[in-house]
Amino acid sequence: MTSNISKNAFAMLNEQQLTQLSSAASALNKEQLIWASGYLAGLAGAVALPASATETEQTQAVATATLTILYGSQTGNAKGVANKYKAQVESKGVQAKVVSMADYKPRSIKNETHLLVVVSTHGEGDAPDDAVELHEFLASKKAPKLPHLKYAVIGLGDTSYEFFCQTAKDFEQRLSTLGATAFAERLDCDVDYETAISAWSEKVDSVLVDLLKPVQTTQVSSTTPVANAVAESIYTKQNPFGASLSESLKITGRDSIKDIRHIEISLEDSGIQYLPGDALGVYFLNDENMIERIVNATNTDANAQVTLGEESLTLAQALKERLEITLSYPGFIKAYQAATQQQALADLMADKAALRNYLNESQIVDIVEAFPAKVDEQTLVDALRVITPRLYSIASSQAEVEDEVHLTVAHVEYEANGFTHQGGASGYLSTRVEEGAEVKVYVENNDNFRLPADDSTPIIMVGPGTGIAPFRAFMQERDARGATGNNWLLFGNPSFTQDFLYQTEWQGYLKTGLLTKISLAFSRDQAEKIYVQDRLRENAKEVFDWLEAGAHFYVCGDATRMAKDVESALLDIIQTQGNKSEADAKVYLTDMRKAKRYQKDVY
């Protein structure tokens, strides 16, 4: 035991004290040692410091308890919530630190005393990429018991999806199973998460202040929101920029089954900066015809005054500018049924599978027209949730387009319930906004989808459909930087003649040598459908050779099927070409993810 003690111990303790300490420690198990270390630290904090102690030493003696805020985020929302909450509790004297789950060593959780988890959910209840390792670790046999940990969980999600906030529920269940104690009830946030978190924090902040005695130091000011916001744009989700739509051009053929648009937006005079991999948040106005139909079905007055928060406006204004009426969700059905007392709606709510299927193809207008009833204007407003800007992967690099931003947008349009339906933002950008009109936008940074810092690093880009957008930005950026790393694109869509997005540009990059290799998968150009994952498997040896050479692997597009199929193909390639077991292949891919060599931008 003595041999494992730092030499500094001999300077602090005499031989008799050291012997007594070693003897006592040798009789304790691991958990008892952890408890004893905390007990001794508490005794040390109670001992008066000598008058000669410096202010810094006093600060270190007091600042022993820290709130660790762990975030798992695919697009950056959870990160933003974590940083904002850190600044908030620090302003009340609580010491806190923010750590991405991607940078967190899972075994370190045994050392935490107070933990706040902020995490989003993707796909069919999946954890975001940077949370996968910790999420799996806490469910494994390797996870330690956590009887001394106090925690809280904030989940970010969308009630229009079946597995609402599932990852947050998983974290709570796993922490509780390991013996940790919640200091606050789990908060599951819908898309309007700012309001919910504000209300939650009003109750929780005082609990945290009691748990973590305020840090007695004036040095906390270095982490105030003002200091952190210096490099941030003044234009945010709460304060978007009024940009100008420069162009909306259809880039699929006349006979294509898809309507995909190339959108160009001017950011002139905004000072907005973005990086390849970032997303653009786009606000939109709802369709006038849809608003009229909702007003008629609910027998409401479009000119009646309603309130949203502290703002007063007409019902028509609220429905056009502020409320979500294209995406439907269980919360609206519940509120509308409570207001109208229709038994048919109650029966629909009782069958969760039927309700989910109905909501998948129905917008708010379909619901009120199928179940018309007279409702109060304010009741209708209260039943709806606020409009959420849509996020689009940016398809340009400012190194090439300067004060512009480009998007690749699939115009959502389908027939249901006897009417043609459009997506909220995609319909707005594709058909309802004229060139030169204002579009409110902001940049959503995505540090989980970045080009390698070393321009000589090879990259493999898998982006079928509109998933090609960020890779167009990647190529523009690498071209401008004179990057020497090899670049390989795997792109898929239904038809070569109708759906090869940005074909001329990719052929130009091949000709100049910037694009080293392109693998195309046009699913309907032959009897047997071929997808990007099939092209990966066909090129298995070359893919693995690139990975062994340090290549970064990127995936953008559909999260539900494509991204999972690509990952399955990638694991098979690593296993077969690397002569590895299934378990070792998973470790290889996990190591790539931790090194930020495997990144996904999926939706």
Side-chain angles (χ1 to χ4, degrees), residues 286-296 302 315-316 319-321 325 365:
N286 286 312
D287 181 48
E288 298 274 7
N289 179 57
M290 188 183 297
I291 294 167
E292 184 179 349
R293 288 167 56 197
I294 290 173
V295 167
N296 290 336
L315 176 62
L319 290 173
K320 182 176 182 178
E321 303 170 10
I325 62 174
V365 66

Side-chain angles (χ1 to χ4, degrees), residues 159-170:
T159 51
S160 24
Y161 289 94
E162 181 176 359
F163 299 96
F164 174 60
C165 287
Q166 184 59 50
T167 307
K169 296 172 184 176
D170 292 345

